[in-house]
Amino acid sequence: MASQYDVIVLGSGPGGYVAAIRCAQLGLKTAIVERENLGGICLNWGCIPTKALLRSAEIFHYMQHAKDYGLAAKEITADLDAVVKRSRGVAKQLSQGIAHLMKKNKIAVHMGEGTLKDAATLEVKGDKGSETLSAKHIIVATGARARDLPFAPSDGKRIWTYRHAMVPPEMPSKLLVIGSGAIGIEFASFYNDMGAEVTVVEMLDRIVPVEDAEISAFLQKSLTKQGMDIRTATGLEDLKSSAKGVTANIKGKDGKVTTEEFSHAIVAIGIQPNTENIGLEGAGVKMDRGFIQIDGYGRTGTKGLWAIGDCVPGPWLAHKASHEGVTAAEAIAQELGNKDVHPHPLDRNAIPGCTYCHPQVASVGLTEDKAKEAGHEVKVGNFPFIGNGKAIALGEAEGFIKTVFDAKTGELLGAHMIGAEVTELIQGYTVGKVLETTEIELMGTIFPHPTLSEMMHESVLSAYGRALHI
C-alpha cells in the first residue's frame, strides 16, 4: 500500500529542500525523495564547495601580496589536495545540516530514484527495493547537470565538467576553460590564482555576457591583467584528449583555426535539465528543450504537478530555486484551504546574480542596454572603488558600481557591480527593487561610514549629478 502525503518533493537541492520545509511549516504532511546527497548539486557540487575553493585561492592570493599590507610571508605554497579536502568537508557539513532540518521539520526522507507513475504517484527505487508514494501534490525539483560538448564528452581525466574541476586528480599546468559564464569564470579565477596558466574561450563577443557591457569589459581587462588569456568571439572546432593532455582546434575572431595544446580543459557551456526518465512523458506537461514550462507559481498545467529550480526556465540560480520552492509551497497550501498564505508570482527582474571570481561581479534588474531596448529613457550613475575610503584601506580599489534609473519616474531599473564583496552589497538594491523604490528614497538613506556600501549611495547620486566624492 502506498505511503500517503500531502506533498512529495522530488529532489533535495536548494529548491526542493526549501519547498519541503515550507510545506511542513504550513502543516502539510511532506516527503522528499533524493537519489544521491541531501542538498543536491548546490550544497554538494556547486555553490558551496566552489566558494570554499575560491576562499582558499583568495587567501593564497593575499598571502602572495602580503607586502602590499606591510607584512612578510615567505615560502608560500599551496596544497591542492588539502584545499579540495577542506571544500569537501564544508559540503559534507552542510549536507548533514539538511538531514537535521528534515528531521526537525518531520519531513520523511526517501533515498532512491523517483519516477512519476501519474501526477499523484511516485515510485522510488532505492538500495532496499522499491516503494510507492502518493500525494495530493508533487513538486519536481530534479535540477540539472553540466552539458557536454557533443564531439568531446567529459572523461574526468583531461576533459572536466564543474564536478571534476572541484575534485581534480592533479593540478592543471595549462588550462583551457570553454565558456565564460559564472561557472567558467569562477573556475578560471580559482585555477589562475592557484598558479595555472589559464585560457578562456567564449563564442560571444564578451565574457559574462548576461552582465552589463561595462562590467564585462572591466572584468576582461582585470582578468587579462592577472595573466589570463581571454578570447572572445572565439569558437572551439575540436577537442581531443590523450594521456598527456588535450589538443584543441580554436577558431579565432579572424576566422583562422589554430591547434593548441593544454594539460586540461573545463567545459562550462551551460546545463541540461534532469527531466528524462522520471515519468514526465505521460504526465501531460509542456516542455521546451527539456525544461518544464510553468507559471509564476510553479504550476505545470497538470493538476497537482509542480516544478521548480534548474529543471524549469532560468536563470538557473540556487536562490531563485529556493524562492520558487517557497512560492510553490504556499500556492499548494492555499489550494488545500489555507487562507493565511498569499503567494506572489516570481518577479524575474528582482533576481540578483553573483559571480565569485576575483574581482567579484553582482547585478540585479536590467542592464543599461536592456533598459533602453525596453523603451526607457535612462539616467545612469557610476561610482568607482578608488573614490571610497574603505576600499582603499582594504587594498581593494579596483571596481565600480553602476545604477540605472528611469529618467521619468525615478524607478530603479538595474544595478551592476564589480569589485570586492559586491556579492554581499547587491542585496541592498534587490530590496530596493522589491520595495519599488525611486532615487529619492535611496538618496535620502543614510549609509554608514566607512563602508563599501557608501558607493551604492554615491552611484545613485551620480545618476543625478550629485556625487560627493568624485
Side-chain angles (χ1 to χ4, degrees):
M1 186 172 178
S3 297
Q4 302 278 340
Y5 296 97
D6 293 316
V7 181
I8 299 170
V9 183
L10 180 58
S12 72
Y17 85 75
V18 168
I21 290 172
R22 187 66 184 126
C23 285
Q25 288 175 341
L26 292 166
L28 304 178
K29 186 181 179 182
T30 306
I32 198 162
V33 176
E34 172 57 54
R35 68 181 180 182
E36 192 173 3
N37 302 113
L38 289 174
I41 291 297
C42 176
L43 264 67
N44 294 282
W45 296 102
C47 319
I48 299 302
T50 56
K51 302 311 158 290
L53 292 175
L54 286 161
R55 177 61 169 166
S56 294
E58 181 184 35
I59 292 173
F60 187 49
H61 170 83
Y62 285 132
M63 291 171 68
Q64 291 173 309
H65 293 82
K67 65 180 181 179
D68 295 341
Y69 299 87
L71 307 172
K74 298 179 180 179
E75 298 181 10
I76 302 163
T77 59
D79 182 340
L80 184 62
D81 289 342
V83 168
V84 171
K85 183 179 179 181
R86 175 182 179 271
S87 171
R88 300 317 306 156
V90 170
K92 182 179 180 181
Q93 179 181 344
L94 287 169
S95 184
Q96 290 172 340
I98 301 303
H100 168 72
L101 289 172
M102 297 299 99
K103 185 176 181 180
K104 175 185 175 183
N105 288 281
K106 297 180 174 58
I107 298 165
V109 176
H110 299 265
M111 299 302 295
E113 291 270 357
T115 306
L116 291 164
K117 296 290 125 184
D118 54 50
T121 311
L122 198 68
E123 182 183 8
V124 182
K125 293 182 179 179
D127 293 339
K128 299 179 181 179
S130 297
E131 58 181 332
T132 301
L133 314 178
S134 65
K136 299 169 186 174
H137 296 269
I138 295 176
I139 301 174
V140 178
T142 48
R145 62 190 182 276
R147 281 179 56 200
D148 266 329
L149 289 167
F151 51 83
S154 58
D155 58 20
K157 297 177 181 178
R158 296 291 177 177
I159 303 175
W160 298 346
T161 65
Y162 63 82
R163 287 186 71 146
H164 305 122
M166 274 187 282
V167 287
E170 58 201 357
M171 177 68 186
S173 56
K174 189 175 182 183
L175 176 66
L176 175 65
V177 177
I178 304 156
S180 74
I183 293 173
I185 287 297
E186 286 183 4
F187 278 114
S189 188
F190 169 73
Y191 280 107
N192 184 70
D193 277 345
M194 294 296 287
E197 182 182 338
V198 177
T199 297
V200 178
V201 295
E202 169 58 55
M203 290 186 64
L204 300 178
D205 61 359
R206 57 190 179 91
I207 61 171
V208 287
V210 300
E211 301 294 345
D212 187 88
E214 285 189 76
I215 298 290
S216 295
F218 192 100
L219 181 60
Q220 181 167 341
K221 184 177 179 180
S222 176
L223 296 180
T224 301
K225 186 178 178 181
Q226 293 174 39
M228 286 192 211
D229 182 2
I230 307 289
R231 307 184 199 178
T232 55
T234 299
L236 187 71
E237 299 286 290
D238 194 22
L239 187 70
K240 287 186 168 59
S241 66
S242 68
K244 295 182 178 180
V246 295
T247 302
N249 291 342
I250 300 172
K251 186 176 183 179
K253 289 181 180 180
D254 58 5
K256 294 181 180 178
V257 177
T258 59
T259 300
E260 302 180 43
E261 302 291 333
F262 300 88
S263 66
H264 301 80
I266 295 176
V267 179
I269 57 172
I271 62 169
Q272 180 72 31
N274 296 323
T275 52
E276 313 98 328
N277 305 316
I278 61 171
L280 289 173
E281 297 79 7
V285 302
K286 294 181 180 179
M287 310 282 285
D288 182 12
R289 293 171 296 171
F291 293 98
I292 304 168
Q293 301 303 291
I294 57 171
D295 68 6
Y297 298 89
R299 298 184 183 92
T300 65
T302 297
K303 185 173 177 56
L305 195 60
W306 307 68
I308 60 173
D310 284 1
C311 64
V312 306
W316 299 291
L317 302 166
H319 45 277
K320 176 254 196 183
S322 294
H323 186 88
E324 287 177 322
V326 170
T327 299
E330 292 182 352
I332 288 169
Q334 190 178 62
E335 287 195 10
L336 292 175
N338 189 325
K339 305 298 183 183
D340 296 324
V341 291
H342 307 283
H344 297 278
L346 179 69
D347 179 2
R348 294 181 180 278
N349 279 325
I351 303 172
C354 298
T355 303
Y356 297 82
C357 49
H358 181 227
Q360 294 180 4
V361 173
S363 61
V364 67
L366 299 176
T367 65
E368 181 179 356
D369 289 341
K370 290 293 185 184
K372 290 176 179 177
E373 287 175 16
H376 295 278
E377 180 185 343
V378 299
K379 283 186 178 290
V380 177
N382 201 311
F383 192 84
F385 270 55
I386 194 66
N388 177 263
K390 179 69 177 293
I392 295 172
L394 290 174
E396 298 285 2
E398 180 187 35
F400 68 92
I401 293 180
K402 177 177 181 177
T403 45
V404 183
F405 292 89
D406 184 285
K408 295 178 181 178
T409 66
E411 177 189 358
L412 175 64
L413 299 174
H416 311 276
M417 309 175 172
I418 184 166
E421 300 305 325
V422 296
T423 56
E424 298 292 339
L425 298 178
I426 193 62
Q427 191 59 17
Y429 286 131
T430 305
V431 170
K433 281 193 65 61
V434 172
L435 295 177
E436 299 181 348
T437 190
T438 69
E439 87 286 5
I440 299 299
E441 289 81 19
L442 291 170
M443 285 182 181
T445 299
I446 299 172
F447 287 73
H449 173 81
T451 64
L452 297 176
S453 69
E454 291 174 275
M455 291 183 288
M456 299 168 65
H457 191 217
E458 290 278 13
S459 181
V460 176
L461 294 172
S462 170
Y464 292 84
R466 291 176 50 183
L468 298 170
H469 289 94
I470 196 166

